[in-house]
Amino acid sequence: MTMLPNSQEARDVAYQLHAYTNARSHQQAGPLVIERGEGPYVYDAAGKRYLEAMAGLWSVGLGFSEKRLVDAAHRQMQALPFYHTFASRSHGPSIDLAEKLVKMAPVPMSKVFFTNSGSEANDTVLKLIAYRSNSLGQPQRKKVISRMRGYHGVTIASASLTGLPNNHRSFDLPLPNILHTGSPHHYKDAAPGESEEAFATRRAEELDALIQKEGPETIAAFFGEPVMGAGGVIVPPTTYWEKIQAVLNKYDILLVADEVICGFGRTGKMFGCETYNIKPDVLVVSKQITSSYFPFSAIIMNDRMFEPIADESNKIGVLGHGFTAGGHPVGSAVALENLKIIEERGLVAHAAEIGAYMQARLRKLADHPLVGEVRGVGLIAAVELVLDKGRKVAAATPGALGGVASKLLLERGIISRNMLDALAICPPLIVGKAEIDELVDGIAGMLEDLKAEAAKLTPAA
């Protein structure tokens, strides 16, 4: 793009390093500058409107102009703009929110620890797991298992849990004691003719074998998203979570459910754990807890997790961990109002209803020659793009086809995100049929535009 001297775009290139961006390409292309939002739409600096089909980053459940959240933040700013929760200090909003989260959790829970992002939360859970093992007199029990293609954050520890190669390359990750087992993606990873249930059985057997190989007495916990998000919107196959939990229960291994994307309605239930009958010991939430109007996250834990931690803090004299802004009063107030709105407006039921409509419309794209698979649940989905449907492969350069598709969608006024060659779809919870029609019609049109560009690409071997 041509950038005028001293424009926002030029100053961005001059001064800012961007997340999840090729820094050299960015110097040439510059940013898309978003200036305002209205409902499920955002507007760029030139006034062009875009349907935000990613809800920002899987997160803006109530859309981009919910005045009640702004007012909640304003009221709390006036009353108490900041206080902390260190050294037995507290404040009303964090107390109210902790109580709310424990009571609304999908399984019996005991306590809440507040952090500022999903990455911080998962990082904290890893520390608390080690703390708990030491409390129980099991210092050898420090290994943690997550999954290939899982996404759990980008701090050093949470990025190690993440099972995506580009989150490890050149960062010298993963850290020791973090192991990865296979992805639950039936479309890509199943053997020819293998049913969903047989595939789920095999994945559970592989997990069992990994635990046996490492030594059950060394494995502390298993981390998993109910539905994988950034790894490609991977919906678990039939009986998968039932079989995985049976293995974990066999060896008394903690289950940590990462609900950062799935939580608060995304799958058509309040929590993804309810959708798949998952019974975690620890539940991590962020993103839609405040509709991302304020950075915020929380760890919800049961007594099995909490009691040994409390004992160890008593032995040492302190739980030596915390964040300045953890449980921030403004964030807590916004979260409380956000959850109140989700409940008042029936947005979880709405996500189930409008999500079913979205899934049905998207699946009509599956016959297109460039579509390998359409998958999803509730208001989260992915369209897997291919150059060869029979071999289930895209271009020789991973992400090349998806990158072109994402740009073509942007030209049509739809913001999506390609996860390599899968287009992610995760609109705000407030969308209606008109917006879903706009979205799916836009994708259908983009697929026709994509044919010419796809012809220039070489399929993967």
Side-chain angles (χ1 to χ4, degrees), residues 379-442:
L379 273 175
I380 184 169
V383 177
E384 186 81 32
L385 301 173
V386 295
L387 294 178
D388 187 326
K389 285 177 80 87
R391 293 193 299 121
K392 302 179 181 180
V393 297
T397 301
L401 184 61
V404 173
S406 185
K407 289 177 182 177
L408 290 173
L409 265 183
L410 194 67
E411 291 172 6
R412 287 177 168 269
I414 296 172
I415 294 177
S416 179
R417 180 182 178 188
N418 66 295
M419 304 163 295
L420 294 180
D421 295 297
L423 286 178
I425 299 161
C426 185
L429 298 180
I430 60 170
V431 291
K433 285 189 175 181
E435 289 85 16
I436 296 300
D437 287 341
E438 179 184 349
L439 169 62
V440 180
D441 291 346

Side-chain angles (χ1 to χ4, degrees), residues 28-89:
Q28 300 301 315
L32 172 65
V33 178
I34 300 299
E35 290 207 334
R36 67 184 183 91
E38 183 179 334
Y41 296 94
V42 293
Y43 295 76
D44 69 17
K48 181 177 178 178
R49 189 180 81 163
Y50 301 85
L51 176 60
E52 234 301 354
M54 278 299 295
L57 281 174
W58 322 87
S59 57
V60 186
L62 299 188
F64 294 85
S65 55
E66 180 49 66
K67 188 175 184 297
R68 281 176 59 178
L69 298 188
V70 177
D71 290 344
H74 183 225
R75 287 193 301 271
Q76 188 57 46
M77 280 279 189
Q78 290 179 312
L80 182 68
F82 171 73
Y83 212 69
H84 61 85
T85 60
F86 283 42
S88 293
R89 307 296 192 269

Side-chain angles (χ1 to χ4, degrees), residues 6 13 20 63 85 99 124 137 186-187 220 263 306 311 375 406 411 442:
N6 209 41
V13 168
Y20 277 88
T85 60
E99 180 181 18
T124 292
H186 180 265
Y187 171 77
F306 167 73
D311 288 342
R375 53 186 180 264
S406 185
E411 291 172 6

Side-chain angles (χ1 to χ4, degrees), residues 111-437:
K111 300 292 183 293
V112 176
F113 187 92
F114 290 115
T115 49
N116 302 291
S117 69
S119 295
E120 277 188 6
N122 282 319
D123 199 296
T124 292
V125 173
L126 277 170
K127 285 184 70 177
L128 293 178
I129 286 168
Y131 199 82
R132 175 184 182 272
S133 291
N134 289 329
S135 176
L136 292 173
Q138 301 173 354
Q140 78 287 355
R141 198 161 192 159
K142 302 288 174 63
K143 294 176 184 176
V144 172
I145 300 173
S146 59
R147 300 173 296 172
M148 298 306 299
R149 300 187 71 184
Y151 185 88
H152 299 289
V154 294
T155 54
I156 288 175
S158 64
S160 296
L161 288 169
T162 292
L164 299 171
N166 285 345
N167 290 78
H168 296 164
R169 293 172 63 186
S170 296
F171 290 117
D172 296 341
L173 297 175
L175 295 174
N177 285 338
I178 295 180
L179 313 171
H180 292 89
T181 192
S183 158
H185 195 183
H186 180 265
Y187 171 77
K188 283 200 170 179
D189 297 335
E194 189 176 33
S195 69
E196 283 198 13
E197 183 163 1
F199 174 63
T201 298
R202 176 160 64 85
R203 283 298 192 231
E205 290 172 346
E206 290 166 354
L207 175 62
D208 196 306
L210 176 61
I211 293 167
Q212 288 280 8
K213 174 177 174 288
E214 297 291 329
E217 73 284 355
T218 72
I219 308 296
F222 178 93
F223 277 70
E225 303 156 272
V227 174
M228 284 184 170
V233 185
I234 309 303
V235 179
T238 303
T239 72
Y240 172 83
W241 274 112
E242 173 188 332
K243 296 178 191 302
I244 291 296
Q245 289 180 98
V247 174
L248 301 178
N249 291 337
K250 175 180 174 182
Y251 297 111
D252 195 31
I253 294 170
L254 294 169
L255 173 56
V256 182
D258 184 336
E259 290 256 16
V260 168
I261 287 176
C262 296
F264 308 112
R266 180 55 58 187
T267 65
K269 298 284 188 180
M270 184 62 79
F271 295 99
C273 287
E274 295 174 272
T275 304
Y276 297 103
N277 194 28
I278 303 169
K279 301 185 185 307
D281 298 287
V282 180
L283 197 153
V284 175
V285 292
S286 187
K287 293 189 183 290
Q288 282 192 168
I289 194 171
T290 62
S291 280
S292 284
Y293 281 44
F294 198 94
F296 206 88
S297 57
I299 301 159
I300 312 168
M301 67 189 80
N302 63 14
D303 275 334
R304 184 184 179 204
M305 182 71 173
F306 167 73
E307 289 296 337
I309 291 169
D311 288 342
E312 192 71 1
S313 73
N314 186 53
K315 175 183 173 183
I316 295 170
V318 67
L319 174 63
H321 180 78
F323 301 95
T324 300
H328 196 289
V330 177
S332 297
V334 171
L336 285 162
E337 188 69 12
N338 181 72
L339 297 178
K340 184 178 181 181
I341 292 170
I342 287 173
E343 292 175 338
E344 283 181 1
R345 297 180 185 170
L347 289 179
V348 176
H350 175 75
E353 179 183 350
I354 201 69
Y357 179 74
M358 183 182 83
Q359 300 295 336
R361 282 224 57 198
L362 284 171
R363 276 160 175 73
K364 292 179 180 178
L365 303 175
D367 292 334
H368 193 279
L370 295 176
V371 176
E373 182 187 37
V374 176
R375 53 186 180 264
V377 61
L379 273 175
I380 184 169
V383 177
E384 186 81 32
L385 301 173
V386 295
L387 294 178
D388 187 326
K389 285 177 80 87
R391 293 193 299 121
K392 302 179 181 180
V393 297
T397 301
L401 184 61
V404 173
S406 185
K407 289 177 182 177
L408 290 173
L409 265 183
L410 194 67
E411 291 172 6
R412 287 177 168 269
I414 296 172
I415 294 177
S416 179
R417 180 182 178 188
N418 66 295
M419 304 163 295
L420 294 180
D421 295 297
L423 286 178
I425 299 161
C426 185
L429 298 180
I430 60 170
V431 291
K433 285 189 175 181
E435 289 85 16
I436 296 300
D437 287 341

